[in-house]
Amino acid sequence: MRQPITKIKTYARKKTEDLTDETIHRKNSIQKFLINVADVSMFVTNVFKNTFARGFEFREFIKQCFQIGNKSLGLISVTGLIIGLVLTIQARPVLVDFGAVTMLPGMVTISIIREMGPVITALICAGKIGSSMGAEIGSMRVTEQIDAMEVSSANPIKFLIVPRVLAATLMLPILVLYADALGILGGWLAANIKGDVSFVLFITQAFGDVEFADLFPAVIKTFFFGAVIGFVGCYKGFNAGRGTESVGIAANSAVVMASLLVIIVDLIAVQITDIL
């Protein structure tokens, strides 16, 4: 009789230990998640607070605008041109079959302005700008430059984070509009590969179908794309670990998280635009 009872007790004890370990694991996961949410909330609050505080670092802001905007023009130029070329080349045969080739400029332009231009440009900037911010600020954390600023009563949020976030928020819409213009130019070049369309006729047909409701929401959401990229890149770098490998981890995680949040923000913006 003792052997079955012993086996039951052993089985019950093992199950209790498994349940206890699982409960502790879940508790630790929830606790870690809540700590991260609180940390992000405090970081965002500090950035907003220092944005409207006195002593704005205007020179650093201009420098970051140059770093983000001017040094991204080459990549954005190639990307925008290719977007227009690919869209036109892919759509033209289908429209020719339906006898609606005259709708090609308007369709390409609306597609670029409303969705393709903002999203693809934001994703490219998330990779270039987000990783750059994460690596730069992460290296400052590793080399204890941020600690030295805090010890010397300097505010690293005001000097390092605020100019970068504002520069990303301001420059991304400009880059998107530049990419849209090159995308439309690429569409005209692609339309002339198998046809003969003058530039004036193509632009007239393109913007004849574009309305203010197509341009305004697309521009507004790019400000949020830039803010998301700036916040994520700075947050990941500012909270990097102490080891040298943490710089790479900060840059990599900044790219992944910024790209994911750009897609989520775009989904929310599309839903809001559809409701309105």
Side-chain angles (χ1 to χ4, degrees):
M1 290 295 293
R2 283 187 174 182
Q3 189 173 2
I5 294 175
T6 304
K7 289 182 178 180
I8 293 172
K9 287 183 178 180
T10 304
Y11 177 79
R13 188 182 300 109
K14 184 178 179 182
K15 283 294 183 183
T16 302
E17 291 176 355
D18 292 341
L19 289 173
T20 303
D21 293 339
E22 185 177 356
T23 303
I24 294 173
H25 178 70
R26 290 183 178 180
K27 178 183 176 183
N28 292 335
S29 299
I30 295 173
Q31 186 178 7
K32 184 178 180 181
F33 173 75
L34 294 176
I35 291 174
N36 289 333
V37 171
D39 196 21
V40 172
S41 301
M42 291 178 61
F43 181 80
V44 173
T45 303
N46 287 332
V47 172
F48 275 111
K49 188 185 299 182
N50 285 278
T51 300
F52 301 101
R54 292 182 179 180
F56 179 71
E57 298 291 340
F58 188 74
R59 289 186 178 180
E60 183 68 16
F61 170 72
I62 296 298
K63 176 184 175 183
Q64 293 304 320
C65 286
F66 176 79
Q67 295 285 342
I68 293 172
N70 184 64
K71 293 192 175 181
S72 301
L73 284 180
L75 184 60
I76 298 300
S77 300
V78 174
T79 303
L81 198 63
I82 290 176
I83 290 174
L85 286 168
V86 171
L87 278 177
T88 306
I89 292 172
Q90 291 289 334
R92 190 178 186 281
V94 178
L95 294 178
V96 169
D97 293 339
F98 285 97
V101 71
T102 56
M103 299 177 61
L104 179 63
M107 188 206 71
V108 171
T109 302
I110 291 176
S111 299
I112 291 174
I113 290 176
R114 295 189 66 173
E115 198 63 28
M116 298 299 293
V119 173
I120 294 180
T121 304
L123 290 176
I124 291 175
C125 289
K128 186 178 186 303
I129 300 171
S131 62
S132 176
M133 289 183 179
E136 185 179 5
I137 299 178
S139 63
M140 291 181 182
R141 173 65 72 182
V142 171
T143 55
E144 299 182 351
Q145 296 181 43
I146 296 178
D147 296 334
M149 293 178 66
E150 293 174 346
V151 170
S152 60
S153 299
N155 191 345
I157 296 291
K158 181 183 292 186
F159 184 77
L160 298 176
I161 309 301
V162 172
R164 285 170 170 80
V165 173
L166 291 181
T169 304
L170 177 64
M171 295 307 298
L172 191 66
I174 299 175
L175 291 174
V176 168
L177 291 175
Y178 176 72
D180 291 346
L182 285 179
I184 296 171
L185 177 62
W188 172 69
L189 293 175
N192 281 275
I193 293 177
K194 293 186 177 181
D196 187 12
V197 182
S198 67
F199 183 74
V200 176
L201 177 61
F202 186 89
I203 294 299
T204 303
Q205 293 177 342
F207 286 96
D209 297 328
V210 177
E211 298 178 355
F212 182 75
D214 297 321
L215 182 62
F216 184 71
V219 173
I220 291 299
K221 69 182 180 182
T222 56
F223 286 97
F224 292 95
F225 290 165
V228 164
I229 293 171
F231 271 115
V232 172
C234 292
Y235 173 79
K236 291 296 184 181
F238 195 78
N239 292 277
R242 295 294 180 180
T244 54
E245 71 278 358
S246 61
V247 177
I249 294 174
N252 184 47
S253 59
V255 173
V256 175
M257 185 59 65
S259 301
L260 178 61
L261 289 178
V262 162
I263 295 173
I264 293 174
V265 170
D266 180 62
L267 175 62
I268 296 172
V270 169
Q271 293 295 326
I272 294 174
T273 305
D274 185 61
I275 292 173
L276 298 177

